[in-house]
Amino acid sequence: MVDQFLPTQSDSCHAIRGAILDFSDDPFFLPAEQVTRYWSDGLLVICQGCVAACGPYQRLRTAWPDIPLTDYSGKLVTPGLIDTHIHYPQTAMIASHGEQLLEWLERYTFPTERKFADANYAAEVAELFLDELLKNGTTTALVFAAVFPQSVEAFFAAAAARNLRMISGKVMMDCRAPAYLCDTVQSSYADSKALIQRWHGRGRLLYAVTPRFAGTSSQAQLQMAARLLEEFPDVYLHTHLSENLREVAWIQSLFPDRASYLDVYDYAGLVGEKSVFAHGIHLSAQEWQRLSQARAAVSFCPTSNLFLGSGLFNLHQAKRLDRPVKVGLGTDIGAGTSFSLLQTSNEAYKVAQLQGQNLSALQALFLATLGGARALSLEDKIGSFDVGKEADFIVLDPQATPLLTLRNAGGLPADLTGLADVLFALLMMGDDRAIAATYIMGQPLHPKPDRPAP
Ligand code: GUN
Ligand code: ZN
C-alpha cells in the first residue's frame, strides 16, 4: 500500500511524473535494496507544498486522475540536496591559490569577510549565492554568515523571499583574528540573541549559534555560546573541528588543559544533538566515541579537504555500527571548489578510494539527501518523499551533456543495479548542467519560471 493522504482541497495539488528515487533509511547500515525506493515510472503528488503521495505512476494516477501533471519522463526525481556546511560570504573568494588552512584564512578569508559589514554588498552576494545553490540542486544548507549581524539579516531575508529551508548564524570570533573582524563576548551574545529572536523558526528559517572555531574564540565566548544554547534549546551549534594538523596542534597549545580539540567544545557545553562540526578529519577514538554518544553530526567536505590539503575524512569511522556518528556532505565554499553536491560526491568517492573504502552511488546520494537531513535533525521535514514532508526536490537529467548521453545511453533502467550505475556516472560527471529543475515546496524555482525548462 502506497502512503497517501487525501487533502480537503485537491485543487491545490499537482503531480510530477518521472523516475523517482529516495531512501527510507541508511544504506551504510542496511542493504541498499531494503532502504532504496525507486520507481522507474513514478508519480510524486504534492498538495499545499508537501508530499501527499509517492509511488508507481499507474497506481497513483488512478487515485489522482484529475490533478495537473508535469512530465519528466526520462529524468530522475530525487529529494533536494542538502549542504551541511558552507560559507556564503566566501562565494567571491572560491579558488584562491596556494595556502593551507591558517594562512588561507589570514590571506584570503578575513579580508573577504570584512566586506560583509556592508549590508548592500551582503544582500547582493546572498542573492547570487542562493541562485547558485538552486542551480546546483541544493535546497537546504547550513550556512556560515560573517561576524556582522547585517550579514545574517541579508542572508535570511533573501532565503525567506524564496521560502527556503535554511539554517544560518552570525559568526562569533573575539580573539586571534584581525580587529576589524572581532566581536566581544557581550556584543556577540546580544547580537546573536536578537537574531535568534527575529529569525529562528520564522517561516522555514532556523538559527545556528556559530563560533568560527576554537582558534578565534576565547573560553568565555565559547561558554557564552553554550549559554545561548541553554536559553534556546532548539537552535543549532555550527563550528569547525579538527580540519588541519597545524590547526589541531595550535588548539591544543591554546587549551592545554583540554584532552582534545573536541573536548574544548565539550567542556564549554557545545557538544549536543544539534551540534554540527565541519571536517573532523584528525579525530581520536575518544572523540569519535563522544560525537556518537552526544548524537552530534559531522560535515564531510571533500573538495575543501583536498583543496586545502587538510587530509582524508574517514567515512568508515563515522559509519561504525557500534558507535555511529551522523554525517552529511558539505561543499565548504569558499575552501570547497564547487557548489555542486554531485561534484562533492565525486570527490567523496575518491577520498574513500584513497583509504581503501568503497562509497556506492546510492550511499553518496543518501549522504546528500536523507543523511544530510538527519545530520541537521530535519529528517521529519525534508530529505525523502515520505508523506507530509516538505516537497523540496530536484529533477536530474542523466543525459545532460553529450558525454553523459553516451555514458548513460540506455537512459534510466527499471532495476536498482542499473540505476546505481547511471547514478554513479551522474555523480562523477554531473554538475549544475545535470540539474534540470529545482522545486521548493512544490514550486519550480530553477530554472527561473520566466525561462523555458531545458
Ligand atoms: N576554520 C575556521 N574558519 C574556517 C573557514 O572559514 N573555512 C574552513 N574551511 N575552515 C575554517
Ligand atoms: Zn568551513
Side-chain angles (χ1 to χ4, degrees), residues 85-87 90 104 144 238-240 243 278-279 301 304 332-333 335:
H85 179 68
I86 186 166
H87 300 248
Q90 295 178 17
W104 174 87
F144 259 69
H238 185 198
T239 190
H240 296 90
E243 177 177 5
H279 310 300
C301 306
S304 164
D332 194 25
I333 296 296

Side-chain angles (χ1 to χ4, degrees), residues 268-290:
L270 296 176
V271 182
E273 211 165 321
K274 296 195 90 175
S275 303
V276 182
F277 298 100
H279 310 300
I281 299 173
H282 310 287
L283 296 175
S284 65
Q286 289 78 7
E287 288 173 293
W288 280 113
Q289 177 66 42
R290 176 65 187 130

Side-chain angles (χ1 to χ4, degrees), residues 113-452:
E113 293 194 6
R114 182 180 201 174
K115 296 180 191 162
F116 287 75
D118 177 348
N120 292 328
Y121 181 70
E124 205 178 295
V125 176
E127 291 298 335
L128 194 146
F129 173 86
L130 292 177
D131 280 349
E132 209 58 38
L133 288 189
L134 293 173
K135 191 164 94 180
N136 282 281
T138 300
T139 51
T140 286
L142 173 57
V143 182
F144 259 69
V147 73
F148 312 104
Q150 56 271 36
S151 72
V152 185
E153 287 286 336
F155 178 74
F156 276 142
R162 303 180 196 218
N163 197 23
L164 301 177
R165 187 164 281 291
M166 289 284 159
I167 312 170
S168 189
K170 186 199 103 67
V171 171
M172 297 172 162
M173 45 197 298
D174 68 343
C175 57
R176 298 179 286 267
Y180 62 74
L181 222 50
C182 282
D183 57 9
T184 66
V185 175
Q186 292 74 19
S187 73
S188 203
Y189 175 79
D191 288 344
S192 301
K193 185 168 183 165
L195 287 164
I196 292 169
Q197 288 169 332
R198 185 162 149 72
W199 291 104
H200 183 65
R202 181 159 159 185
R204 304 180 75 203
L205 303 174
L206 297 163
Y207 195 86
V209 170
T210 309
R212 175 170 222 114
F213 71 143
T216 50
S217 282
S218 63
Q219 177 67 29
Q221 185 168 64
L222 296 176
Q223 277 164 340
M224 174 276 291
R227 193 171 129 211
L228 278 172
L229 298 182
E230 268 171 36
E231 282 179 47
F232 302 96
D234 62 339
V235 304
Y236 293 83
L237 183 281
H238 185 198
T239 190
H240 296 90
L241 171 69
S242 286
E243 177 177 5
N244 165 290
L245 285 172
R246 265 196 59 216
E247 171 212 17
V248 175
W250 185 48
I251 301 301
Q252 275 300 346
S253 74
L254 293 174
F255 298 88
D257 296 338
R258 300 281 65 84
S260 65
Y261 194 156
L262 183 66
D263 193 42
V264 174
Y265 296 135
D266 209 4
Y267 183 76
L270 296 176
V271 182
E273 211 165 321
K274 296 195 90 175
S275 303
V276 182
F277 298 100
H279 310 300
I281 299 173
H282 310 287
L283 296 175
S284 65
Q286 289 78 7
E287 288 173 293
W288 280 113
Q289 177 66 42
R290 176 65 187 130
L291 287 168
S292 176
Q293 180 197 33
R295 300 175 55 77
V298 172
S299 177
F300 173 20
C301 306
T303 77
S304 164
N305 299 160
L306 295 174
F307 181 75
L308 291 180
S310 303
L312 305 176
F313 179 74
N314 192 334
L315 193 53
H316 277 193
Q317 284 290 341
K319 290 294 182 184
R320 267 179 50 170
L321 251 180
D322 58 329
R323 49 139 189 73
V325 174
K326 291 185 287 184
V327 57
L329 288 178
T331 59
D332 194 25
I333 296 296
T337 50
S338 171
F339 276 82
S340 169
L341 283 166
L342 307 183
Q343 276 310 292
T344 303
S345 300
N346 171 342
E347 300 300 316
Y349 175 79
K350 295 169 188 168
V351 166
Q353 279 283 49
L354 281 166
Q355 298 171 92
Q357 301 176 5
N358 197 303
L359 179 65
S360 76
L362 292 170
Q363 287 171 335
L365 187 68
F366 169 81
L367 289 178
T369 55
L370 186 59
R374 288 180 172 180
L376 301 183
S377 306
L378 287 174
E379 67 271 26
D380 58 329
K381 297 188 173 64
I382 55 171
S384 78
F385 293 135
D386 284 346
V387 166
K389 284 199 186 179
E390 298 163 354
D392 290 351
F393 60 93
I394 60 173
V395 182
L396 287 157
D397 183 355
Q399 300 183 333
T401 66
L403 191 54
L404 271 166
T405 306
L406 183 70
R407 171 62 173 81
N408 289 334
L412 284 162
D415 65 297
L416 201 55
T417 308
L419 169 77
D421 177 58
V422 168
L423 180 64
F424 185 66
L426 250 182
L427 297 178
M428 295 305 107
M429 298 158 69
D431 49 30
D432 57 306
R433 293 167 298 174
I435 309 296
T438 303
Y439 282 72
I440 297 297
M441 297 290 285
Q443 299 301 313
L445 289 206
H446 170 77
K448 295 247 166 71
D450 54 345
R451 281 194 234 141

